[in-house]
Amino acid sequence: MDLPRSRAANERLHRVIPGGAHTYAKGEDQYPEHLAPVISHGRGAHVWDVDGNEYVEYGSGLRSVSLGHAHPRVTEAVRREIERGSNFARPSIVEAEAAERFLENVPTADMVKFTKNGSDATTAALRLARAVTGRPLVALCADHAFFSTDDWFIGTTAMAAGIPGEITDLTVRFPYGDLAATEALLQQHDGQVACLILEAATQQDPPSGYLAGLRDLAHRYGALLVFDEMITGFRFSEHGAQGLFGVTPDLSTFGKALGNGFAVSALAGKREFMELGGLRDPRDRVFLLSTTHGAETHSLAAAMAVMDTYEAEDVTARLHALGARLAAGVREVTASHDVADHVVVRGRDSNLVFGTLDASGAPSQDYRTLFLRQLVTGGVLGPSFVVSAALTDADIDHTVEVVAGACVVYRKALDAGDPSPWLGGRPVKPVFRRKA
């Protein structure tokens, strides 16, 4: 496969944008060399690059486009609001309508405030927790990949350049699923931890009783519990993981699927805490969320249309059914080509990822490169296997067929003991690393 226009477009991007993309996970380094297509447009579950190639797409918009690109119900709602104006000197009535609709969907929360991105929402949650408790430390789940672009989280990663150690020292970490270890951390920092923040679930459901136990543990030590529902919200359940697993956090954050690609995220929580960022509480005020574009009417209209579509079309169930079909097909062909221990599918059916393991069973960027190369050249753009509701059975069947071809090459590389002849250039790289 030759992508001359995409290569030229990538060079153009790098000249004017650091990293050549506005999200590191979309970077050219995340794809095999010379096989990083630049997108022209998308429709449903398909995208086209500037070279004219068509792909079945997974993980659309970093999991944000769960209904498929240009979904008619969403685009019509957006078009209608844009024609009425998008930003005013005072709140639009759409803000009340969107907030009421959101709280119908997430009845475990009393109030909600919208913003543009998930990082602002999670950081606001931590600021609020610190104000409520008067404590400096934040405890995040060490087993979860990403929480924010802000210093409190990025300082804990390999890309900590520019972040003072004094800020990083205010973040401590606990392991998922281990209440004893978390209690030991809270005892070690007794009276200092403002909140525990985590995704309620990722690739596996939480151990029985874990989330309720974590909530009780946090409260016993005077801390708040915060659920990051950026992914689990809608994709696991339209009511969020808190609705699915029956555990109510003090605060929670939503985004990604909420706007089907339009920029909208949310901080939701109990009234007694959220009102600290309002005008009707006598305590010291918290600068909770105040963003010029946080309540643009067209994004809030998109969110309402998304919630209506999820309810009307039972989208969450469809995502799970499509993912189950894909996972079964991939597991069947990996087994038939004797690579089932090396190409593995993990996660909830609505939120599948794949792992690429070497001969010893260790995760391998080289083998990931080999696998991605076969996907892209086969017309599948898949940094993950996260499905959208726009996929068809034919799309899934095509994907499984391409994976089967990739497994043939994978087996050859394992037998040779060296995947390098099949890489086509440098291997793909992890997002979080110290050097470019």
Side-chain angles (χ1 to χ4, degrees):
M1 175 181 258
D2 191 22
L3 302 177
R5 292 182 179 177
S6 287
R7 288 203 306 274
N10 276 313
E11 288 304 310
R12 182 180 173 190
L13 286 161
H14 279 284
R15 280 196 298 271
V16 291
I17 300 167
H22 283 91
T23 312
Y24 284 119
K26 296 183 183 181
E28 186 182 10
D29 60 336
Q30 301 301 294
Y31 290 83
E33 193 166 9
H34 305 310
L35 284 180
V38 175
I39 304 304
S40 164
H41 63 285
R43 177 72 62 177
H46 289 233
V47 295
W48 288 259
D49 66 23
V50 294
D51 293 279
N53 299 299
E54 181 179 355
Y55 306 87
V56 178
E57 187 194 39
Y58 293 87
S60 312
L62 304 181
R63 296 178 171 86
S64 67
V65 186
S66 62
L67 300 179
H69 299 291
H71 188 280
R73 191 193 297 257
V74 177
T75 54
E76 177 55 36
V78 169
R79 187 179 296 112
R80 185 169 56 249
E81 284 305 323
I82 284 178
E83 292 175 353
R84 293 162 53 87
S86 63
N87 209 335
F88 311 105
R90 279 281 293 146
S92 164
I93 192 63
V94 174
E95 296 179 44
E97 293 168 351
E100 290 165 353
R101 182 68 182 86
F102 178 91
L103 294 171
E104 288 175 5
N105 224 62
V106 186
T108 46
D110 300 319
M111 302 185 82
V112 62
K113 195 157 192 182
F114 296 110
T115 185
K116 281 299 181 193
N117 63 73
S119 294
D120 285 348
T122 54
T123 295
L126 305 193
R127 186 184 305 121
L128 184 55
R130 282 170 165 157
V132 168
T133 63
R135 298 174 172 186
L137 300 185
V138 168
L140 62 82
C141 182
D143 300 308
H144 296 163
F146 189 80
F147 289 102
S148 176
T149 61
D150 291 310
D151 289 0
W152 66 269
F153 172 71
I154 297 298
T156 70
T157 75
M159 295 177 69
I163 300 172
E166 295 87 345
I167 293 178
T168 303
D169 290 343
L170 295 174
T171 300
V172 296
R173 298 191 287 181
F174 63 92
Y176 186 79
D178 190 336
L179 293 176
T182 305
E183 182 163 20
L185 179 76
L186 291 169
Q187 289 173 342
Q188 179 186 351
H189 301 286
D190 192 22
Q192 296 298 301
V193 176
C195 66
L196 307 178
I197 182 169
L198 75 160
E199 296 180 73
T202 52
Q203 293 180 11
Q204 292 86 32
D205 283 356
S208 178
Y210 171 65
L211 294 178
L214 191 67
R215 177 197 58 203
D216 295 344
L217 187 62
H219 291 172
R220 193 183 322 142
Y221 283 86
L224 303 190
L225 180 64
V226 182
F227 281 174
D228 179 337
E229 297 250 32
M230 294 296 161
I231 293 172
T232 54
F234 297 92
R235 190 166 284 282
F236 279 42
S237 160
E238 57 268 36
H239 308 302
Q242 54 199 274
L244 180 64
F245 299 119
V247 175
T248 302
D250 298 299
L251 303 169
S252 54
T253 59
F254 289 76
K256 292 193 183 289
L258 180 58
N260 200 51
F262 287 93
V264 57
S265 297
L267 167 64
K270 297 178 178 178
R271 185 177 304 276
E272 62 183 292
F273 305 135
M274 296 288 285
E275 279 285 19
L276 276 174
L279 297 175
R280 299 187 174 183
D281 192 288
R283 294 170 290 179
D284 289 349
R285 294 178 68 199
V286 174
F287 194 90
L288 189 58
L289 280 168
S290 182
T291 56
T292 299
H293 302 290
E296 286 176 322
T297 57
H298 60 275
S299 291
L300 297 182
M304 287 189 282
V306 167
M307 289 183 278
D308 289 344
T309 302
Y310 263 76
E311 182 178 352
E313 300 179 10
D314 200 6
V315 171
T316 302
R318 176 165 175 77
L319 293 173
H320 282 88
L322 287 165
R325 180 185 175 95
L326 176 62
V330 170
R331 288 171 180 144
E332 180 179 350
V333 296
T334 58
S336 66
H337 291 88
D338 195 26
V339 294
D341 292 334
H342 305 280
V343 178
V344 294
V345 182
R346 304 178 177 127
R348 197 174 186 85
D349 288 335
S350 62
N351 190 50
L352 296 171
V353 297
F354 58 79
T356 50
L357 312 181
D358 64 17
S360 68
S364 169
Q365 293 297 106
D366 283 0
Y367 278 98
R368 179 174 174 83
T369 308
L370 177 156
F371 190 67
L372 285 174
R373 187 175 186 83
Q374 298 303 312
L375 292 187
V376 172
T377 57
V380 175
L381 194 60
S384 68
F385 281 151
V386 176
V387 297
S388 76
L391 286 162
T392 65
D393 288 347
D395 292 329
I396 300 292
D397 293 344
H398 172 70
T399 302
V400 172
E401 181 181 344
V402 172
V403 170
C407 290
V408 172
V409 179
Y410 210 110
R411 185 67 256 171
K412 289 179 180 179
L414 289 169
D415 291 342
D418 180 12
S420 58
W422 291 276
L423 301 189
R426 53 104 184 110
V428 299
K429 300 180 180 181
V431 170
F432 286 109
R433 60 186 193 274
R434 188 174 179 184
K435 301 288 187 180

